């Protein structure tokens, strides 16, 4: 249906198959390397400024501050001068982001991130109510730093694909709307399949395709 509507189908598989034959492009990816390919795509999309910053700040937990000592999101109730967002259920928590417009820390809940001016990047000193100060970074900042290992060249070695092709496909994914990733059962049902799925979901988020008609990410087996 996508092809009939003018869309392009790129098929990733170590083997040439009936599906590869019908696709517009077959990418002969090395077995078990889907995660590396997706992370390299994410790096290209971020480095070239092709990501949807509004979507990442509004619909993901990317702006939330992470305590570098514990690796956990900082609770608003623990921060000096802040309190939990009013009206949230007892079983939910309020976290912390840096509001660039206000120039101050703010209590937020991931369930209700309206249009905002939360910083996606940066390192911050966060004063706690116990008198201590912890250093924190946004989730997006930590993502950017983690992606440093996944250059197109590094992923090319893992995936057996030319780095130029990784860059080209990443740019297409970021600029052609809508973009939809179908994550096959042959990948998700093997070791670390969940992490590969998260890497592909990251690409869908970075490009702002979640919640868009025809966009997003689907699992090919069961639609769980």
């Amino acid at each position: 249906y996508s092809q009939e509507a003018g869309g392009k189908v790129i098929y990733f598989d170590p083997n040439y198959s009936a599906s590869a034959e019908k696709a517009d492009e077959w990418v002969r990816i090395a077995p078990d390397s889907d995660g590396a390919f997706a992370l390299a795509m994410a790096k290209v999309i971020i480095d070239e400024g092709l990501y949807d910053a509004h979507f990442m700040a509004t619909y993901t937990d990317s702006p939330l501050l992470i305590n570098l000592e514990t690796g956990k999101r900082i609770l608003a109730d623990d921060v000096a001068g802040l309190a939990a967002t009013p009206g949230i259920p007892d079983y939910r928590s309020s976290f912390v982001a840096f509001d660039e417009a206000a120039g101050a820390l703010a209590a937020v809940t991931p369930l209700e991130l309206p249009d905002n001016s939360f910083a996606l990047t940066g390192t911050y000193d966060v004063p706690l109510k116990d008198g201590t100060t912890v250093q924190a970074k946004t989730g997006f900042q930590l993502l950017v730093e983690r992606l440093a290992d996944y250059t197109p060249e590094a992923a090319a070695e893992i995936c057996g694909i030319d780095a130029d092709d990784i860059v080209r496909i990443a740019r297409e994914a970021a600029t052609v709307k809508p973009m939809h990733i179908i994550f096959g059962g042959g990948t998700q049902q093997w070791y670390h399949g969940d992490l590969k799925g998260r890497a592909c979901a990251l690409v869908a988020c970075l490009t702002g395709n979640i919640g868009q008609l025809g966009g997003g990410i689907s699992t090919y087996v069961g639609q769980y």
Side-chain angles (χ1 to χ4, degrees), residues 107-185:
V108 298
T109 168
L111 294 179
E112 298 177 5
L113 283 175
D115 287 347
N116 58 67
S117 54
F118 297 149
L120 279 176
T121 58
T123 303
Y124 303 90
D125 291 325
V126 181
L128 303 182
K129 290 177 180 176
D130 64 6
T132 63
T133 298
V134 297
Q135 193 172 62
K137 294 182 179 181
T138 65
F140 193 81
Q141 179 69 48
L142 292 173
L143 169 65
V144 170
E145 294 173 8
R146 187 67 184 89
L147 289 177
D149 294 334
Y150 291 93
T151 63
E153 292 74 22
E157 292 291 326
I158 298 171
C159 302
I161 301 169
D162 288 343
D164 288 345
D165 287 331
I166 296 176
V167 172
R168 172 180 56 80
I169 293 171
R171 289 171 178 165
E172 289 183 14
T175 56
V176 177
K177 301 296 180 93
M179 187 275 298
H180 194 106
I181 297 173
I182 300 177
F183 193 55

Side-chain angles (χ1 to χ4, degrees), residues 16 19 21 23 41 53-54 74 81 92 111-112 137 178 206 212:
Y16 190 76
S19 297
E21 181 183 8
M41 286 180 65
H54 176 268
I74 298 175
R92 296 292 183 188
L111 294 179
E112 298 177 5
K137 294 182 179 181
L206 284 171
Q212 303 300 318

